[in-house]
Structures are given as structure tokens and as C-alpha cells.
Amino acid sequence: MKLYEKAPAPSARRVSLFLAEKGIEIPRVDVDIRGGENITDEYKAKSVNGRIPMLELDDGTTISESIAICRYLDAAFPTDHNLFGSTPEEIGKVEMWNRIVELQGLFTAFQALRNLTGIYSDRERCVEAWGEESKLRVIEFLPVLENRLSASPYLAGEHFSVADISAFIMCQFIKNMDIHIDDSYPAIKAWMEKIGQRDAFKDS
Ligand SMILES: N[C@@H](CCC(=O)N[C@@H](CS)C(=O)NCC(=O)O)C(=O)O
């Protein structure tokens, strides 16, 4: 089994933090995404979305999309540390918050950065106005996160989950667009400090 990634890239970090939380170690392959290694015919023959992270199993089967990879690893290496929720209510809430963070925060932030900076203009059309609108939507999403975290220790409830990993990555990533979790977001700030002290996050 091999994990294709670019260590500092946010989607790769989601999987890395998940692996660190679960105490799972697997071989990693560094992919030069800025240099376009992920858009070669060879890589795209293996990866449906042509992105990192991608997990390759020993029989050649590949799994793309960070949460799909986490789901696979969760099932393949069962532990007591459950990051997708245990009860039906928890499972539903983890999924809900993870999706909300992805759709309204993390992926919107990706669109903002990609369209504002044109970092991948060698492989996609960039629309500056789309970048600006996406950045505004990320800013508008922060109060949703602040409200939730002022009422709950973790996003999905009483327990740390994969939704916290996604939101933590989002809160760090938005610094690239000069959006900062400052004193106007006391609950998010305190939650980030708390999460940052977890063993898996110590170097984050
Ligand atoms: N939804 C995907 C997003 C993957 C993604 O956007 N990966 C970025 C790095 S964070 C990438 O491969 N960028 C290179 C490119 O777009 O060509 C996931 O969660 O895995």
C-alpha cells in the first residue's frame, strides 16, 4: 500500500493527520503537483481526479478523495479511536459537519486561492471574480463555525472527529488569503489551540 501525496498540501495533510491520530504508518510517495506530476498520463491513468492524495493498494486498486481514503483506512485498520462517530447520532453529525466544512469552507477556500492566484493556470481556467466571491463566502462561513464551537467542545459534539481535522486544516489554509482566526473568533481560536496540543497535531 502506498499513499501518493505532497506533504504540506492541505488535502494530503487531512489524511496525514487522520493516520497520525489512528497511529497507522504506511509508505508515502511524494508527488510534485506544482511541477505537474499529477497531470501526467501515467498518474491520471491511476487517479480518477488527477489530484493528491491517492491511495494505491498492493493489487493496484486506487482510491482518490481524502475522506474516501480515510474511510478505507478506518475499515482496513480498525482501532478503538473512532473518528467517524460511534452512535447513529454521532455518525450523522460527523458526516454533516464534515460536509458543511468541506462545501462551505475548505473547498470554497481552495477555489478562492486557485482563482485569485492562478497557481494552476497551466491546467485550469482561472476566474478572478470567482476567487473574490469564494473568499467572501469563506469569510461569511466563519461565524457559523464560531457559533458551533462556542456551544460544543468539538464540531460534531463531545468527541474529536474527522470533521475537526477538516475544519482545522481549513482554518490554517485561509491564512494564505489573509483571513485570520483572530480575537473576533474566540471560540475557534480556543478550539484550534486545544486541537493543536493533540499528539498528532503537535507539528502542525
Ligand atoms: N477533494 C479532493 C481535493 C484534492 C486536491 O485538490 N488536491 C490538491 C492538493 S491540496 C491537488 O492535487 N492539486 C494539484 C492540482 O490541482 O493539479 C480531496 O479531498 O482529496
Side-chain angles (χ1 to χ4, degrees):
M1 186 185 293
K2 276 185 270 185
L3 181 64
Y4 292 77
E5 61 166 16
K6 184 79 209 165
S11 301
R13 287 186 64 229
R14 290 172 85 188
V15 176
S16 280
L17 288 170
F18 183 87
L19 286 169
E21 278 285 336
K22 303 279 286 184
I24 301 169
E25 285 184 19
I26 55 175
R28 320 275 181 118
V29 179
D30 185 81
V31 180
D32 177 11
I33 51 174
R34 290 285 175 94
E37 206 182 325
N38 59 306
I39 51 171
T40 59
D41 288 345
E42 190 192 352
Y43 189 89
K44 289 203 294 190
K46 291 182 176 185
S47 160
V48 180
N49 63 6
R51 302 268 177 104
I52 56 98
M54 172 181 75
L55 185 70
E56 183 173 31
L57 308 184
D58 293 342
D59 69 357
T61 301
T62 55
I63 300 176
S64 291
E65 287 296 330
S66 40
I67 292 299
I69 294 170
C70 294
R71 285 273 186 202
Y72 173 86
L73 295 167
D74 199 50
F77 301 96
T79 66
D80 289 342
H81 186 27
N82 192 330
L83 297 175
F84 285 105
S86 300
T87 65
E89 184 179 325
E90 268 178 24
I91 292 168
K93 284 189 169 166
V94 170
E95 187 69 22
M96 175 183 80
W97 278 105
N98 194 54
R99 296 291 287 160
I100 286 173
V101 167
E102 284 184 335
L103 297 172
Q104 296 182 43
L106 188 61
F107 295 166
T108 309
F110 289 170
Q111 292 308 324
L113 191 84
R114 294 175 80 110
N115 285 283
L116 285 172
T117 64
I119 43 169
Y120 293 120
S121 58
D122 60 339
R123 62 198 75 168
E124 68 186 6
R125 291 172 296 282
C126 296
V127 181
E128 204 179 329
W130 183 9
E132 278 160 11
E133 176 59 26
S134 300
K135 182 174 172 181
L136 287 176
R137 288 182 189 198
V138 172
I139 294 169
E140 283 168 6
F141 175 59
L142 291 178
V144 175
L145 217 49
E146 176 67 18
N147 279 346
R148 174 60 179 165
L149 291 169
S150 58
S152 175
Y154 296 103
L155 264 186
E158 293 302 310
H159 304 292
F160 175 85
S161 77
V162 74
D164 295 290
I165 295 180
S166 302
F168 185 87
I169 293 289
M170 184 210 102
C171 289
Q172 287 191 326
F173 181 75
I174 58 179
K175 287 181 203 154
N176 292 310
M177 283 158 300
D178 221 13
I179 307 173
H180 299 280
I181 304 299
D182 57 19
D183 292 339
S184 12
Y185 304 105
I188 305 180
K189 209 172 162 188
W191 164 86
M192 283 188 82
E193 279 163 16
K194 177 173 70 181
I195 302 243
Q197 282 162 20
R198 298 177 71 84
D199 285 345
F201 286 70
K202 285 253 164 71
D203 298 328
S204 282

